[in-house]
């Protein structure tokens, strides 16, 4: 068929169609809305670019997601990392389209049909007149953002590029030290070929990105020298050429731009990513769910820092999810907490403490009227820590100086001041947890130095839960203790912590708590999935044979089969044996 008689296709529709071949999600987002709306693609006309979406929304007005009849959405897919389907690891691919004309038709009380007209080009014109080129159909480039001079560097992926700036996709936890309007002293873009571009930048916008715990950073390039501008124009032209070639927008192009031909370093990085993603894909729905909850907490932090908005509904939804999961299958939830291992310490600590508070409070009283507000307070109580990140305290991960440790103790009042600024007033029960969670019986806690008679029953319980959690995880370079050692240390500090509450905690979780990594005499490491009434393991997931440390195992054993791995010796630190969890 002659080229002139071939049917005309809408390039944007072709890109969307490529996502439909894989497991995918489409989310509509709006600047002032704390949640993205998940939508289902009902129809896609590849020639005209007509896209029909189905959306369920029970809020006040779906018009909040439209701006003068226009919507913005992300479509995200899990694609084979190596380009094939069989036995391949999956990697996330994401594409954003903004200002799409949409007509809303209400189907029933909570269902809407959105008739969208996709743009006729994958290239979008920015307000300043520059062309913004999306990275589509497998285009890749890595980005390093230097947050502070000579200090913290955040790694991400490039999602679009123009001569004016770029959109960078970073893990949500890495976005914590950044805020809108912040100058970043270094932005380095590296292409698969090994070619790179460096400049300064300014963060112009931030938002949640997709559904796997990532954030989008809109960065404007700044202080460009003439030679940098010349280099950037060349790069943008090559990126535009590559996008046109991949999308078929220009049939005269016969090959890839040299920028996108992988060099040796890129090939090695892709191999390593494939191994990591195969590990990540073995997680259960419950484990992925608890990670999603941790990501929602970090999105809430982003709204607080960058938009001066307290996303109350997000926090309460997280609390309600915890309460539902505790009631539904508490042991599976306790095991899923293991998979927070690589999340930021403030998030991991908050979620674990909130879950255990809910667990023990519901064991005490299945109809507790306070438990929801306590869980909200527990989720929020460490959020003041990332609010303190600055050049003076550039990271919460590193070993802190004495001065930085003193600064960090201001996190309670920092959070309270921020919530007051945002005009959010918690309930008395929630406020008690927020302000007093770090107090101790003998008055050595902070920030108010309260003593035993001044502390509520909820705070006394939380102080024990927090103490055990702090001791059993690495903090400021101090190695984690075993549960038995942690119990002993808390017991020896009976002037600080209530002994009866500690006994209750031990009876609830045992000497070998669910989610601990246990070492067996046969040289095997296994996660404890379940324990009996005496606190002894009865079900484990074997993940490593120390005789073959580079090989991973994924084998669930019941108590009757424990002879295969030997007798239980001790609880160990996953970091000592290279046991990690991968982020998709």
């Amino acid at each position: 068929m002659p080229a002139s008689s071939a049917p005309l296709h809408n390039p944007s529709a072709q890109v969307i169609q490529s996502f439909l071949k894989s497991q995918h999600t489409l989310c509509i987002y709006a600047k002032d809305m704390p949640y993205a709306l998940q939508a289902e693609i009902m129809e896609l006309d590849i020639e005209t670019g007509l896209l029909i979406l189905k959306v369920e929304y029970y809020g006040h007005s779906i018009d909040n997601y439209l701006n003068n009849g226009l919507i913005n959405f992300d479509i995200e897919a899990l694609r084979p990392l190596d380009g094939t389907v069989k036995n391949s690891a999956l990697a996330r691919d994401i594409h954003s389209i903004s200002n799409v004309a949409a007509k809303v038709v209400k189907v029933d009380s909570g269902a809407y049909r959105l008739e969208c007209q996709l743009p006729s080009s994958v290239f979008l014109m920015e307000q300043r007149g520059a062309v913004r080129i999306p990275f589509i159909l497998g285009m890749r480039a890595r980005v390093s953002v230097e947050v502070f001079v000579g200090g913290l560097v955040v790694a991400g992926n490039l999602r679009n590029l123009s001569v004016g700036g770029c959109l960078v996709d970073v893990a949500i936890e890495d976005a914590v030290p950044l805020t809108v309007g912040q100058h970043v002293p270094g932005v380095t873009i590296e292409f698969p070929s090994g070619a790179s571009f460096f400049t300064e930048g300014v963060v112009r916008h931030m938002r949640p990105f997709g559904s796997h715990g990532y954030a989008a950073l809109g960065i404007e390039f700044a202080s460009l020298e003439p030679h940098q501008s010349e280099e950037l124009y060349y790069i943008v032209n090559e990126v535009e050429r590559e996008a046109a070639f991949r999308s078929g927008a220009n049939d005269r192009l016969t090959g890839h731009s040299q920028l996108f031909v992988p060099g040796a370093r890129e090939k090695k990085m892709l191999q390593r990513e494939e191994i990591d993603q195969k590990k990540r894909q073995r997680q259960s729905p419950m484990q992925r769910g608890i990670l999603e909850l941790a990501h929602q907490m970090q999105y809430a932090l982003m709204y607080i820092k960058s938009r001066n908005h307290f996303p109350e509904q997000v926090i309460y939804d997280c609390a309600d999810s915890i309460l539902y999961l505790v009631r539904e299958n508490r042991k599976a939830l306790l095991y899923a907490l293991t998979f927070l291992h690589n999340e930021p310490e403030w998030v991991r600590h908050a979620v674990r403490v909130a879950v255990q508070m809910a667990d023990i409070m519901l064991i005490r009283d299945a109809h507790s009227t306070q438990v929801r507000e306590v869980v909200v307070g527990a989720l929020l109580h460490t959020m003041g820590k990332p609010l303190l990140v600055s050049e003076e305290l550039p990271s919460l991960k590193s070993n802190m100086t004495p001065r930085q440790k003193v600064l960090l103790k201001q996190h309670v009042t920092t959070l309270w001041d921020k919530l007051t600024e945002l005009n959010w007033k918690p309930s008395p029960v929630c406020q008690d947890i927020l302000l007093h969670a770090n107090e101790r019986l003998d008055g050595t806690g902070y920030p108010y130095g309260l003593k035993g008679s001044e502390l509520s029953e909820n705070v006394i319980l939380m102080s024990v839960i927090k103490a055990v959690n702090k001791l059993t995880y690495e903090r400021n370079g101090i190695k984690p203790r075993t549960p038995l050692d942690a119990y002993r240390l808390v017991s020896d500090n009976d002037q600080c912590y209530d002994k009866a509450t500690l006994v209750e905690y031990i009876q609830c979780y045992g000497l070998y708590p669910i989610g601990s990594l246990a070492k067996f005499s046969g040289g095997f490491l296994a996660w404890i999935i379940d324990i009996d009434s005496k606190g002894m393991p009865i079900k484990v997931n074997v993940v490593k044979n120390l005789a073959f440390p580079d090989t991973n195992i994924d084998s669930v054993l019941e108590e009757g089969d424990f002879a295969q791995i030997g007798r239980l010796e001790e609880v160990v630190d996953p970091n000592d044996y290279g046991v990690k969890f991968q982020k998709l």
Side-chain angles (χ1 to χ4, degrees):
M1 181 185 294
S4 59
S5 62
L8 295 175
H9 289 168
N10 179 289
S12 295
Q14 284 187 287
V15 173
I16 298 296
Q17 186 183 50
S18 74
F19 281 82
L20 305 188
K21 300 172 184 177
S22 308
Q23 176 187 342
H24 67 276
T25 56
L26 187 147
C27 295
I28 300 168
Y29 66 90
K31 179 182 178 182
D32 297 322
M33 300 301 289
Y35 273 118
L37 286 183
Q38 192 158 318
E40 181 181 354
I41 296 177
M42 305 303 293
E43 296 178 35
L44 175 64
D45 190 317
I46 195 71
E47 294 186 24
T48 66
L50 179 65
L51 174 68
I52 307 295
L53 302 177
K54 178 183 176 183
V55 178
E56 288 188 7
Y57 181 64
Y58 297 93
H60 177 65
S61 174
I62 197 170
D63 291 339
N64 291 328
Y65 285 88
L66 281 82
N67 180 19
N68 296 322
L70 305 175
I71 64 167
N72 307 312
F73 65 79
D74 300 322
I75 184 166
E76 184 178 29
L78 301 179
R79 300 183 190 268
L81 191 62
D82 64 358
T84 66
V85 176
K86 187 177 180 181
N87 297 324
S88 175
L90 298 178
R92 55 186 289 276
D93 190 11
I94 189 165
H95 178 51
S96 298
I97 301 185
S98 56
N99 298 324
V100 175
K103 177 185 175 183
V104 180
V105 179
K106 191 167 186 176
V107 179
D108 59 35
S109 61
Y112 297 85
R113 170 187 171 97
L114 271 63
E115 300 175 358
C116 309
Q117 179 56 54
L118 295 171
S120 58
S121 172
V122 294
F123 309 130
L124 299 177
M125 192 68 70
E126 294 185 325
Q127 291 180 343
R128 296 183 297 274
V131 176
R132 178 163 25 110
I133 303 147
F135 274 52
I136 55 175
L137 302 172
M139 292 171 63
R140 295 168 61 94
R142 304 177 194 275
V143 183
S144 299
V145 180
E146 187 180 356
V147 180
F148 306 118
V149 176
L152 181 66
V153 175
V154 169
N157 291 294
L158 197 60
R159 293 302 180 183
N160 69 45
L161 179 68
S162 75
V163 293
C166 61
L167 189 73
V168 183
D169 178 6
V170 302
I172 181 63
E173 61 266 26
D174 290 337
V176 167
L178 292 160
T179 191
V180 172
Q182 181 174 341
H183 176 267
V184 287
V187 180
T188 303
I189 301 172
E190 184 177 345
F191 292 90
S193 66
S196 64
F197 173 75
F198 174 85
T199 184
E200 297 175 34
V202 178
V203 178
R204 289 304 181 196
H205 61 84
M206 297 171 62
R207 66 175 180 87
F209 201 40
S211 55
H212 293 283
Y214 286 81
L217 308 177
I219 298 178
E220 179 185 354
F221 298 143
S223 305
L224 288 169
E225 298 288 341
H227 73 277
Q228 289 175 301
S229 296
E230 186 177 334
E231 184 182 359
L232 182 57
Y233 273 104
Y234 164 76
I235 288 172
V236 169
N237 284 334
E238 287 297 296
V239 170
E240 184 175 1
R241 178 185 184 280
E242 181 72 14
F245 171 68
R246 295 198 186 210
S247 66
N250 186 340
D251 57 11
R252 290 174 297 182
L253 297 172
T254 58
H256 293 285
S257 160
Q258 285 301 309
L259 288 179
F260 293 89
V261 178
R265 182 169 179 267
E266 179 72 10
K267 289 177 181 177
K268 283 185 179 179
M269 294 179 78
L270 286 172
Q271 289 173 351
R272 188 160 60 245
E273 284 179 14
E274 182 168 9
I275 294 170
D276 290 346
Q277 296 303 351
K278 284 182 176 178
K279 294 177 185 176
R280 172 66 172 82
Q281 286 165 225
R282 290 197 287 265
Q283 293 176 2
S284 72
M286 174 73 89
Q287 291 154 8
R288 287 194 292 271
I290 204 69
L291 278 173
E292 173 61 20
L293 192 149
H295 297 154
Q296 288 299 328
M297 290 297 299
Q298 293 170 81
Y299 289 142
L301 173 67
M302 179 188 293
Y303 281 99
I304 290 170
K305 281 191 68 176
S306 291
R307 301 188 185 179
N308 281 322
H309 167 72
F310 182 74
E312 182 178 53
Q313 190 61 49
V314 173
I315 302 297
Y316 273 91
D317 284 351
C318 288
D320 291 340
S321 295
I322 286 174
L323 292 171
Y324 171 78
L325 294 171
V326 168
R327 292 180 171 117
E328 189 74 11
N329 191 338
R330 62 176 292 271
K331 286 187 173 181
L333 176 58
L334 292 172
Y335 179 56
L337 293 176
T338 304
F339 291 79
L340 296 174
H341 184 77
N342 287 348
E343 294 301 305
E345 188 272 336
W346 72 269
V347 177
R348 185 188 69 229
H349 184 70
V351 175
R352 288 187 67 90
V353 170
V355 167
Q356 290 187 320
M357 284 293 291
D359 190 32
I360 293 179
M361 288 184 72
L362 291 174
I363 289 172
R364 288 176 173 181
D365 176 7
H367 305 289
S368 170
T369 58
Q370 296 188 347
V371 64
R372 187 178 191 235
E373 291 300 315
V374 167
V375 170
V376 169
L379 287 173
L380 289 172
H381 84 277
T382 54
M383 199 174 277
K385 293 183 178 182
L387 290 175
L388 285 166
V389 170
S390 62
E391 288 201 61
E392 193 174 7
L393 182 66
S395 173
L396 299 175
K397 296 179 183 179
S398 59
N399 296 344
M400 295 183 191
T401 65
R403 175 175 167 74
Q404 288 173 332
K405 290 178 182 178
V406 171
L407 179 65
L408 194 62
K409 284 198 171 185
Q410 297 175 15
H411 73 89
V412 175
T413 51
T414 297
L415 175 62
W416 184 251
D417 290 345
K418 188 66 175 178
L419 295 178
T420 302
E421 177 191 327
L422 300 181
N423 296 314
W424 187 70
K425 178 70 174 173
S427 69
V429 171
C430 179
Q431 181 175 329
D432 179 40
I433 294 294
L434 280 175
L435 294 181
H436 305 144
N438 297 294
E439 304 291 350
R440 295 178 180 177
L441 293 175
D442 64 350
T444 59
Y446 65 91
Y448 305 111
L450 302 181
K451 293 191 176 182
S453 60
E454 300 171 285
L455 303 182
S456 67
E457 186 178 339
N458 292 333
V459 168
I460 289 171
L461 170 60
M462 189 160 176
S463 67
V464 170
I465 292 174
K466 280 170 54 66
V468 174
N469 272 277
K470 286 180 180 179
L471 289 167
T472 50
Y473 280 88
E474 182 176 351
R475 292 168 65 87
N476 294 326
I478 301 172
K479 287 187 65 63
R481 306 269 186 169
T482 65
L484 181 58
D485 284 345
Y487 298 156
R488 187 178 292 119
L489 281 168
V490 174
S491 178
D492 289 345
N493 278 288
D494 57 346
Q495 72 279 12
C496 296
Y497 307 104
D498 181 61
K499 249 189 174 175
T501 303
L502 175 63
V503 170
E504 180 184 16
Y505 183 98
I506 296 170
Q507 289 173 339
C508 191
Y509 301 113
L511 300 180
Y512 304 97
I514 290 173
S516 300
L517 185 66
K519 185 172 179 288
F520 289 79
S521 61
F524 292 89
L525 300 181
W527 294 108
I528 297 172
I529 297 176
D530 197 2
I531 56 177
D532 61 18
S533 59
K534 297 179 181 178
M536 295 303 293
I538 55 174
K539 186 177 182 180
V540 300
N541 181 20
V542 183
V543 292
K544 200 172 280 287
N545 179 351
L546 296 178
F548 305 96
D550 295 330
T551 303
N552 294 305
I553 308 171
D554 185 16
S555 179
V556 175
L557 295 182
E558 305 281 350
E559 185 180 15
D561 298 317
F562 282 7
Q564 298 177 31
I565 56 177
R567 71 182 184 281
L568 176 64
E569 290 187 335
E570 59 181 339
V571 170
V572 296
D573 179 8
N575 291 326
D576 287 345
Y577 296 93
V579 177
K580 297 183 181 297
F581 301 99
Q582 304 303 323
K583 186 182 180 83
L584 186 64

